Amino acid sequence: MSKQTSFTTSNTHGAIAAAGETPEKTAQSMNDYIKAYEKEIAKVLPSSVTTESFAISCAAVLTKAPALAACTPRSLIGALLTAAQLGLEPNTPLGQAYILPAGKECRFHLGYRGLLALAHRSCQLMSLEAHTVHENDEFEYEFGLEPKLRHRPSMGDRGEMVAVYACYRLTGGCCGFEVMSKADIDRHRGKFGDSSDSGLWDKAYEEMCKKTVLKRLLKYAPLFGGFADAMNADGSPAAADGEDIEGAAKAMEA
């Protein structure tokens, strides 16, 4: 594999200029890259996702997040490939996954619903839930040799959110749970969050809290092997190989 280089589009036909040049990129030229690369993206899609529906999602990515047009083509294609491999449609109302800008790089982010969808692909999983706890709810939990979890939401004014918990049960009867206070979650966000996902926290705070607790819970759950890779991809930079992007450019010019 050749040494990777950061790439930008240099003209409307899709020719590539190496890093150090600053040609203007447009949403149209970035869409051209997506279209030129759609066969490679289709190859990694799981059978549960149709090529047509994912192609529609790819085409809408820049419409939903116009700032992505200023990112490198390599990082955008890499993020789309990550979404395709996981079978999660990005930047749709389903909330399965998001591709968002972080400076000049695109970042792939799992959504709360995407995390649930991935977990439920495991044949071992019987149930998986995440809930918010409010100050007027009845809530108690205990770890140890005989762990217990009990939550009775208030039927009236539940008050402010104070914690979030997630729990699972496997087909064999084994179960587990994780609890995080709101303060714990906010500290976790401050430590591991970045500029690319700040908008998600602003728009869907409770769902992002649930996702945080689910990720901590499922880290040790005996789910399918690729699930850990999916969680590692969350929020990480993803980039297609430089040679592959050059191939996409040639296809655009053909």
Side-chain angles (χ1 to χ4, degrees):
M1 182 179 294
S2 63
K3 183 180 179 181
Q4 291 187 356
T5 309
S6 296
F7 295 110
T8 56
T9 58
S10 61
N11 57 51
T12 56
H13 298 292
I16 296 176
E21 299 179 23
T22 56
E24 182 181 356
K25 294 193 295 295
T26 66
Q28 181 57 49
S29 61
M30 290 292 271
N31 269 319
D32 289 340
Y33 276 104
I34 294 173
K35 186 171 181 60
Y37 214 75
E38 59 187 14
K39 288 184 179 180
E40 284 71 17
I41 292 173
K43 288 178 184 177
V44 300
L45 281 172
S47 58
S48 58
V49 181
T50 66
T51 302
E52 292 76 14
S53 66
F54 197 84
I56 292 172
S57 297
C58 288
V61 162
L62 292 173
T63 302
K64 301 293 180 60
L68 292 175
C71 296
T72 64
R74 185 176 63 152
S75 67
L76 176 60
I77 298 301
L80 287 172
L81 282 169
T82 298
Q85 288 170 336
L86 297 176
L88 302 176
E89 297 183 14
N91 297 22
T92 72
L94 293 175
Q96 292 185 336
Y98 303 91
I99 296 176
L100 302 169
K104 294 296 182 181
E105 300 297 313
C106 295
R107 294 286 178 92
F108 171 84
H109 290 277
L110 275 172
Y112 165 63
R113 293 182 179 87
L115 191 60
L116 288 176
L118 288 173
H120 279 293
R121 292 177 190 172
S122 171
C123 60
Q124 297 173 289
L125 189 67
M126 180 180 292
S127 65
L128 177 66
E129 301 177 31
H131 299 281
T132 59
V133 181
H134 295 252
E135 57 188 355
N136 294 330
D137 295 349
E138 294 182 28
F139 181 71
E140 60 177 330
Y141 69 97
E142 183 177 311
F143 294 117
L145 295 178
E146 297 182 4
K148 65 178 182 179
L149 176 70
R150 177 178 175 273
H151 180 208
R152 180 176 292 177
S154 171
M155 295 299 290
D157 178 14
R158 296 182 64 191
E160 296 293 323
M161 188 185 85
V162 295
V164 179
Y165 70 92
C167 54
Y168 69 83
R169 184 177 296 277
L170 302 181
T171 53
C174 178
C175 59
F177 67 86
E178 183 66 55
V179 181
M180 293 181 71
S181 70
K182 182 179 182 299
D184 287 339
I185 293 171
D186 288 339
R187 279 192 291 269
H188 184 278
R189 175 191 176 186
K191 184 176 181 179
F192 297 104
D194 60 41
S195 60
S196 64
D197 68 352
S198 60
L200 295 177
W201 282 97
D202 292 338
K203 294 177 181 178
Y205 180 78
E206 287 194 6
E207 288 202 353
M208 291 295 285
C209 288
K210 290 178 181 179
K211 171 190 159 182
T212 300
V213 182
L214 278 170
K215 284 184 67 175
R216 179 173 289 190
L217 169 70
L218 296 174
K219 186 182 298 183
Y220 305 105
L223 301 179
F224 68 95
F227 189 77
D229 294 335
M231 290 201 293
N232 288 335
D234 183 35
S236 300
D241 185 75
E243 290 181 339
D244 294 335
I245 294 295
E246 288 177 340
K250 290 177 181 178
M252 288 160 57
E253 294 174 335

